[in-house]
Amino acid sequence: MIDFKALAEKYDTPLYIYDFEHIANRYEELKKAFSGKKSLICYAVKANSNLSVISHLAALGSGADCVSIGEVKRALAAGVPKYKIIFSGVGKRDEEIEEALKEDILLLNLESEAEMDRVEQIAKRLQKEARISIRVNPNIDPKTHPYISTGLHENKFGVDIETAKRIYIRAKNSPNLDPVGIHFHIGSQLTELEPIKEAASIVADLVRSLKAIKIDIRFFDVGGGVGIVYDDEKTIDPADYAKAIFSTLHGLDVTVVCEPGRFMVGNGGYFVTRVLYEKVNEGKRFIIVDGGMNDLLRPSLYNAYHKVEVVGREGEESEADLVGPVCESGDFFAKNRLLPPTEPGDLVVVHSAGAYGFVMASNYNTRPRPAEVAVEGDKERCIRVRESFDDLVRLEKMCL
Ligand code: LLP
């Protein structure tokens, strides 16, 4: 049990708290599901890129899936071995490609022929052979929120199967490209297995046809996307997930790579905020807290549901909106939620905030971003100090 009161006393609010035991258990659960098979779990750093979170996972053996050279540098700084780092993303700058090649990471994941041209040119200049994989868009509906759905042709990600085939042949014939991997990722917060299995099966067929023309794919990257429980969603069992993927791979000798983000850290994170006061506008009840949409954007951006809990309060619940102090109507954590009466100073815990929480925070309204704390058993430590006003204006003051 996390002592939210004690931690809020010590570190103040708003505050992010991560349960490192939960995170380790999630990693182990997935690793176990893949046991006995060639596999590599590359934690999707974008979900929560705190150095201590990455190094906690790296210590367990996790690799890293990165979408910018900044994330690659974070992974390296956190102790992820370079041979377990992959670099994906729809658009990469030349400097990012160059640095990734110099660092000699496991794979550059390419999303277009134009990008492949750039990588080839840069690798040639550096006299290197770039290990690449190509992101294939299998045109599968992942049945998730449209903002986090990525595997349909209408989405900007990857290339279609025919283009992939053509550019794999080009890559094979280039002395500066080594096409060793294939990749897909159909969306995030997936709660159904079928779309993943279908996508894997389409991509596995492509790998077989590449094999027939002597293009030997060794890394089969199934992306991330395994969903978590925010409310009462059904979720995908890791063992079923692994089984479904391997069932599509008959005749192929590949290492399965997966890139879970949310699965690993989502339910291990809590956003803790304090009640400032309540007010009622023409019968509508508002609970105003000191955290805002700048700290945790998911409810505002996706209308995402997060469970909220008022610590230590029980009693007659009535509907309320839980809102922050930011000057936007979209600044809310919960709408029309049944909540007990609160007093100023009460703590509100927003659950499932470990993924896409702090990383999407901003300084909007000149609000310093929260501190982050890791809890492991009965020990706790600060893993990012709260920003100060001086931190916020430092780079501007340099220009005065
Ligand atoms: N691999 C690729 C290529 C991705 O684009 C993503 C997420 C992942 C892996 C990790 O997905 P996960 O396992 O976490 O579902 N901000 C949104 C989620 C955006 C996901 C972007 N890509 C949210 O708060 O729901």
Side-chain angles (χ1 to χ4, degrees):
M1 268 304 276
I2 295 176
D3 190 343
F4 293 110
K5 270 198 169 139
L7 293 175
E9 271 314 301
K10 182 162 174 187
Y11 295 99
D12 206 354
T13 55
L15 179 68
Y16 274 99
I17 298 173
Y18 308 122
D19 177 349
F20 270 27
E21 283 180 346
H22 174 91
I23 295 173
N25 289 340
R26 295 296 257 188
Y27 177 84
E28 297 298 352
E29 202 182 337
L30 199 55
K31 195 68 206 163
K32 192 165 146 232
F34 284 111
S35 69
K37 310 271 190 195
K38 285 198 284 184
S39 69
L40 175 63
I41 299 174
C42 289
Y43 166 59
V45 166
K46 63 168 82 75
N48 185 327
S49 53
N50 185 294
L51 289 175
S52 299
V53 172
I54 307 173
S55 78
H56 181 52
L57 284 163
L60 299 169
S62 181
D65 166 46
C66 305
V67 283
S68 67
I69 201 68
E71 286 192 352
V72 171
K73 286 182 183 169
R74 274 184 185 270
L76 289 167
V80 180
K82 62 186 181 181
Y83 58 86
K84 289 186 185 172
I85 297 179
I86 51 187
F87 182 11
S88 313
V90 138
K92 303 180 188 73
R93 290 170 56 92
D94 288 3
E95 304 90 278
E96 293 187 289
I97 296 170
E98 180 165 341
E99 214 170 323
L101 290 176
K102 284 184 178 156
E103 289 290 358
D104 202 24
I105 60 171
L106 176 61
L107 280 172
L108 256 98
N109 223 326
L110 309 184
E111 301 219 16
S112 63
E113 187 169 12
E115 189 187 2
M116 193 168 98
D117 291 341
R118 298 301 282 182
V119 171
E120 187 182 21
Q121 281 166 19
I122 295 169
K124 190 171 176 191
R125 175 159 54 76
L126 299 176
Q127 298 182 328
K128 282 190 173 276
E129 194 179 9
R131 274 184 304 277
I132 59 158
S133 59
I134 291 169
R135 177 165 179 178
V136 177
N137 187 329
N139 200 22
I140 295 287
D141 183 355
K143 303 192 172 74
T144 185
H145 190 294
Y147 278 19
I148 49 177
S149 151
T150 49
L152 283 167
H153 284 163
E154 65 196 59
N155 302 123
K156 67 176 176 179
F157 301 96
V159 299
D160 60 76
I161 299 277
E162 281 317 304
T163 308
K165 214 169 183 174
R166 186 170 55 74
I167 67 178
Y168 267 114
I169 296 170
R170 266 199 53 201
K172 182 179 162 53
N173 292 329
S174 165
N176 299 105
L177 296 172
D178 187 12
V180 290
I182 198 157
H183 175 240
F184 66 91
H185 168 84
I186 57 171
S188 198
Q189 183 53 15
L190 307 177
T191 53
E192 288 177 36
L193 196 49
E194 207 42 49
I196 306 176
K197 191 171 170 186
E198 222 177 300
S201 162
I202 292 170
V203 178
D205 282 345
L206 173 60
V207 174
R208 278 185 275 269
S209 69
L210 292 172
K211 197 175 168 191
I213 50 172
K214 302 270 180 302
I215 298 174
D216 190 18
I217 300 295
R218 287 181 281 133
F219 297 96
F220 188 86
D221 184 343
V222 299
V226 176
I228 60 169
V229 176
Y230 286 97
D231 185 7
D232 56 2
E233 299 87 342
K234 67 177 174 74
T235 50
I236 297 169
D237 176 63
D240 295 342
Y241 173 67
K243 214 164 115 198
I245 292 162
F246 284 106
S247 74
T248 68
L249 294 178
H250 41 90
L252 295 176
D253 179 21
V254 287
T255 297
V256 169
V257 180
C258 64
E259 308 167 348
R262 191 188 319 260
F263 174 83
M264 220 72 110
V265 292
N267 285 140
Y270 303 87
F271 177 66
V272 182
T273 177
R274 239 182 236 289
V275 174
L276 296 174
Y277 14 74
E278 287 209 15
K279 75 174 184 184
V280 178
N281 275 353
E282 293 193 14
K284 173 131 186 117
R285 177 181 170 217
F286 292 95
I287 304 173
I288 303 156
V289 292
D290 65 358
M293 64 186 283
N294 71 296
D295 302 311
L296 175 63
L297 186 61
R298 302 195 72 258
S300 307
L301 189 60
Y302 311 115
N303 207 13
Y305 178 94
H306 284 259
K307 191 175 139 197
V308 299
E309 167 201 1
V310 185
V311 177
R313 287 271 171 212
E314 273 165 34
E316 191 79 6
E317 295 190 332
S318 66
E319 273 194 7
D321 284 8
L322 186 71
V323 301
V326 171
C327 57
E328 302 264 354
S329 304
D331 181 23
F332 66 89
F333 296 117
K335 283 204 156 168
N336 303 320
R337 200 73 68 82
L338 281 175
L339 290 167
T342 68
E343 291 293 335
D346 278 355
L347 287 180
V348 177
V349 179
V350 181
H351 288 245
S352 312
Y356 308 108
F358 184 91
V359 283
M360 289 172 73
S362 77
N363 295 119
Y364 188 38
N365 284 199
T366 305
R367 291 170 50 83
R369 285 178 296 174
E372 294 176 284
V373 168
V375 175
E376 217 166 351
D378 54 6
K379 293 199 186 63
E380 117 272 331
R381 66 196 156 98
C382 183
I383 57 171
R384 192 180 205 270
V385 296
R386 183 177 304 284
E387 284 177 341
S388 66
F389 173 73
D390 286 344
D391 293 328
L392 266 56
V393 293
R394 187 175 61 87
L395 300 172
E396 291 155 53
K397 281 196 166 161
M398 286 166 65
C399 306
L400 287 179

